[in-house]
Amino acid sequence: MEEIVNALARALSFGTPLLIACLGAILNERAGVVNLGVEGMMALGALAGFAVAFGGGVGDGNLWLAVLAAMLAGGVAALLHGFVTITLQANQFVSGLALTMVGLGTAGLLGKRFEGQPLFNQPPEWPFTLGAVGLAVLLTFVFYATRLGLSLRSVGENPAAADLLGLNVSVVRYAAVVAGGALAGLAGAYLSLVYRPSWTDGMTAGLGWIAVALVIFVGWSPLRAVFGAIFFGLLYYLQFRLQGQAAIPSEVFASLPYLLVILVLALSGLRGQQGNAPEALGKPYRRGER
Amino acid sequence: MRLEPLPSASPWRVLGVTLLALGLAFILVGTVFWVYGQNPLEVYRAMFAGTLLEAKGWQEIFRRSIPLLLIGVGLTLAFRTQFYNIGAEGQVLLGAVLAAGVALFLPLPPPLSLPVMVLAGALGGALWCGLAAWLRLRFSVNEILSTLMLNYVAQHLVIFLINGPWRGKDVRGYIYSDRFAEYQQLPVWPGSSVHWPTLLLGVLLALLLQFLLFRTTLGFRLRIVGENPGAARYLGLAQGRLLLLLALITGGLAGLAGVGEIAGIHHRLIEPSQLSSGYGFTAIIVAWLARGQPALVLLTAPLMGLVLAGGDLLKVSFNMPFRIVDVFSGIILFCLIGSELFLRYRLRR
């Protein structure tokens, strides 16, 4: 019993950044914009959060400010993606890749001075976990029970119709993209402040990409994302738990999450999950063009 | 001011817009240098002087251009066909793994060993990419995600091998395999690490694929599948088979790049981060800059080779992390795709 409770606690702890980043990605994809830059935005958020919390080097930084800085970093990075894809109508997939490169690169470069430094003040974990689950509920409510959610979804499903009804497609998309980026930044801050209170280059280790894949797996549903994140969190827990116990080399366990993402995507494909994708996902909107 | 559609962009316009985009990218990267606490002008001066004004620098550019050329040529083809292979990094590693496996464990007559290594390497990359294509065709798994995940798996595979069963006998503390025999190494331009047979192969393949794409029926079909899937269906083209073939070519070329790195430079299987320091990602820009023309990669690969060689220099002279190359790559890519709007439209008052 204790073992199970412990496993679930660890699963939730590891699933939290996945959930936060995944909810952000769902938000912007519902508005029709794919942002593959989650990994880069997480890295920037992790660095910004750590840098502010680190303060003068004795860990005297304000933690609220640190979290805010992380969200700001993610949001600004997402704004860049928004400008390139919404205003300049560039390919969303390639822009997301570029954002990943810039994010990982800039965070690695500017974070060099923080490498190996310990963090003395550490925020508690539960507000993040509870907040993430609460956000999933809130997003579900917003999507399906408010006017705002209707606008958001219509922009992702049929931007031409939304435009006709007087909605400003660009503004709605910009807002969704920036909010999604802020959440990715927050997910990064969780890593550098709570999960492993330190900064190392490459500490996101593909989590951002797993979050992007999770969006497809959970069929763009915030509520199902909670269970998806716990599922992946449990896998990470098992990976650590079984490591060294079995005769299986640790590299096998280390590559398990990535293999599982592929498996999970294949399963989603078999179930026809991709049919749930917003109709206009990945397509730039040009007024008067079909 | 408003945008007015252009019927088609002239080559001069394409060149002008591309050069402006690259210029803007260099200004933006300069800003990052400035935030990092360095004078951008000084950094750029050191970067270009150390690469373009010295013989050693040119050798470094060429050495870096070889994998970029091989991978980039394949990626132009892939992007044309809307197959977003961003797993070249992993395909490079798999190519290296299979080639190293042949070198270390397959007793072959010496003259045969190197050719078999090259073939095995191409096969390794091809299979790794083919797997992603198969997953897309059979299970509609997005290839961006699958190829990327396979990168991580390939990294762990290499680490497992050199840390475990393939760990060299003569090593202490470090992890890498035994050294390849003399006859298993690619010849180099005297006094440099430019493995010229691979360079030559890259140049030939760039020209060959250009010919294939624009002068053969297969190339015509590949272009149709990428540019107008609806028409391809109407014409009854076997899109699945074409996609798979394309993935095998693209991945195979990345695998060749992996062979070049280990048989031409390191002469053993080494850690993934040293074996391919981001070639797979940098090659995305090489391919994008070439705008779907394999032959143009002959120009764009050295350009990014310059950025990679420059990154090495900044690491030493300014104590910057090699990550600076990611900043360059990402910002260049942003500026390139952002500028494409000005190829389709022109500004009118």
Side-chain angles (χ1 to χ4, degrees):
Chain A
M1 189 62 207
E2 204 188 314
E3 172 82 328
I4 296 173
V5 171
N6 190 23
L8 274 179
R10 286 293 307 274
L12 211 58
S13 160
F14 203 88
T16 299
L18 274 180
L19 178 57
I20 299 173
C22 179
L23 290 174
I26 289 176
L27 184 60
N28 53 45
E29 291 199 12
R30 282 289 189 148
V33 184
V34 179
N35 189 348
L36 296 183
V38 176
E39 179 86 0
M41 296 189 292
M42 269 177 89
L44 285 172
L47 175 66
F50 186 87
V52 171
F54 192 65
V58 284
D60 56 356
N62 185 317
L63 288 174
W64 285 111
L65 232 52
V67 168
L68 209 66
M71 294 181 73
L72 198 68
V76 169
L79 193 62
L80 192 64
H81 178 70
F83 177 68
V84 172
T85 59
I86 300 169
T87 302
L88 298 179
Q89 302 175 1
N91 184 311
Q92 294 180 8
F93 298 107
V94 183
S95 170
L97 283 182
L99 185 56
T100 298
M101 292 178 189
V102 173
L104 286 175
T106 312
L109 189 69
L110 302 182
K112 198 176 160 242
R113 69 191 71 178
F114 298 108
E115 196 106 23
Q117 303 271 19
L119 192 66
F120 296 103
N121 53 344
Q122 201 186 336
E125 186 187 315
W126 63 267
F128 287 88
T129 306
L130 223 60
V133 176
L135 184 65
V137 177
L138 179 72
L139 275 184
T140 309
F141 175 77
V142 169
F143 281 165
Y144 296 106
T146 67
R147 208 182 158 73
L148 177 71
L150 189 66
S151 312
L152 196 82
R153 286 189 295 134
S154 64
V155 162
E157 294 289 347
N158 193 340
D163 193 2
L164 215 58
L165 291 174
L167 272 173
N168 190 327
V169 174
S170 296
V171 168
V172 175
R173 285 193 165 176
Y174 261 110
V177 167
V178 170
L183 286 175
L186 178 64
Y190 179 89
L191 290 180
S192 66
L193 298 179
V194 180
Y195 187 75
R196 207 185 320 157
S198 61
W199 163 261
T200 39
D201 187 17
M203 69 186 297
T204 44
L207 269 183
W209 289 104
I210 294 179
V212 172
L214 205 57
V215 176
I216 301 170
F217 180 52
V218 302
W220 290 266
S221 148
L223 274 190
R224 278 202 293 201
V226 176
F227 299 101
I230 292 177
F231 172 68
F232 263 92
L234 209 56
L235 290 174
Y236 271 93
Y237 167 74
L238 285 177
Q239 176 199 329
F240 286 118
R241 190 80 181 71
L242 297 174
Q243 210 158 0
Q245 286 207 347
I248 304 168
S250 65
E251 284 87 3
V252 174
F253 288 110
S255 50
L256 261 188
Y258 310 113
L259 286 171
L260 275 160
V261 167
I262 295 176
L263 188 73
V264 149
L265 287 175
L267 284 176
S268 316
L270 271 189
R271 291 206 323 246
Q273 195 81 285
Q274 262 115 352
N276 290 343
E279 198 65 38
L281 189 61
K283 296 175 195 137
Y285 174 63
R286 285 179 213 119
R287 206 175 217 173
E289 260 181 51
R290 290 246 54 191
Chain B
M1 293 238 279
R2 63 194 173 81
L3 292 171
E4 192 183 81
L6 277 171
S8 70
S10 69
W12 290 111
R13 192 179 174 85
V14 175
L15 186 69
V17 168
T18 306
L19 287 180
L20 278 178
L22 286 176
L24 178 66
F26 273 83
I27 293 173
L28 290 175
V29 176
T31 316
V32 176
F33 288 140
W34 179 68
V35 173
Y36 184 68
Q38 296 283 0
N39 180 350
L41 292 177
E42 221 168 274
V43 176
Y44 276 132
R45 197 199 57 78
M47 194 175 143
F48 288 116
T51 46
L52 294 175
L53 299 181
E54 283 175 39
K56 188 95 189 68
W58 277 97
Q59 289 172 10
E60 275 302 295
I61 296 177
F62 274 118
R63 175 174 86 82
R64 296 290 201 166
S65 302
I66 299 169
L68 293 179
L69 177 62
L70 286 165
I71 305 167
V73 164
L75 289 187
T76 47
L77 220 61
F79 292 161
R80 236 182 204 281
T81 322
Q82 315 258 331
F83 182 76
Y84 290 98
N85 172 20
I86 56 163
E89 196 76 5
Q91 291 144 24
V92 166
L93 294 180
L94 253 285
V97 163
L98 256 64
V102 169
L104 296 169
F105 303 107
L106 204 64
L108 285 169
L112 266 184
S113 195
L114 199 54
V116 175
M117 279 167 70
V118 171
L119 287 179
L123 184 74
L127 288 180
W128 211 237
C129 188
L131 178 62
W134 177 74
L135 284 165
R136 166 160 153 190
L137 293 171
R138 179 74 185 73
F139 300 100
S140 35
V141 173
N142 180 319
E143 76 275 10
I144 295 182
L145 294 170
S146 63
T147 51
L148 199 98
M149 292 295 131
L150 287 172
N151 281 349
Y152 291 102
V153 177
Q155 280 170 17
H156 288 298
L157 175 69
V158 173
I159 293 173
F160 164 70
L161 287 173
I162 54 179
N163 203 9
W166 291 13
R167 189 173 180 148
K169 288 183 282 294
D170 60 335
V171 298
R172 267 172 230 277
Y174 299 99
I175 51 167
Y176 41 70
S177 77
D178 278 331
R179 207 177 158 81
F180 302 157
E182 201 77 37
Y183 58 82
Q184 292 167 327
Q185 300 173 6
L186 283 165
V188 291
W189 194 261
S192 76
S193 45
V194 178
H195 35 107
W196 58 266
T198 337
L199 183 61
L200 198 66
L201 190 66
V203 173
L204 288 177
L205 283 168
L207 298 175
L208 185 77
L209 285 183
Q210 180 81 14
F211 180 82
L212 173 102
L213 205 53
F214 292 98
R215 291 278 183 276
T216 66
T217 325
L218 177 66
F220 176 70
R221 286 184 180 152
L222 281 173
R223 280 187 291 145
I224 293 282
V225 165
E227 279 149 36
N228 197 339
R233 250 191 304 280
Y234 183 72
L235 291 171
L237 296 180
Q239 295 190 64
R241 227 183 293 165
L242 282 170
L243 197 78
L244 201 59
L245 175 72
L246 165 100
L248 293 177
I249 297 176
T250 310
L253 284 167
L256 280 181
V259 182
E261 291 309 292
I262 61 163
I265 297 172
H266 305 292
H267 306 138
R268 46 170 43 127
L269 191 62
I270 57 169
E271 273 182 88
S273 56
Q274 289 170 35
L275 208 164
S276 175
S277 39
Y279 288 130
F281 295 105
T282 313
I284 294 174
I285 296 132
V286 168
W288 207 268
L289 258 173
R291 297 180 191 281
Q293 309 271 348
L296 270 187
V297 174
L298 292 172
L299 292 177
T300 61
L303 184 72
M304 290 312 290
L306 168 74
V307 168
L308 286 181
D312 272 334
L313 218 86
L314 299 185
K315 202 166 79 176
V316 181
S317 327
F318 292 87
N319 197 20
M320 281 186 191
F322 193 66
R323 278 278 191 207
I324 185 63
V325 168
D326 286 339
V327 181
F328 259 112
S329 305
I331 289 181
I332 290 178
L333 197 52
F334 259 134
C335 291
L336 276 180
I337 60 170
S339 71
E340 267 171 21
L341 184 74
F342 302 102
L343 299 180
R344 291 194 310 261
Y345 299 90
R346 77 174 144 213
L347 276 178
R348 263 293 161 87
R349 247 178 242 282

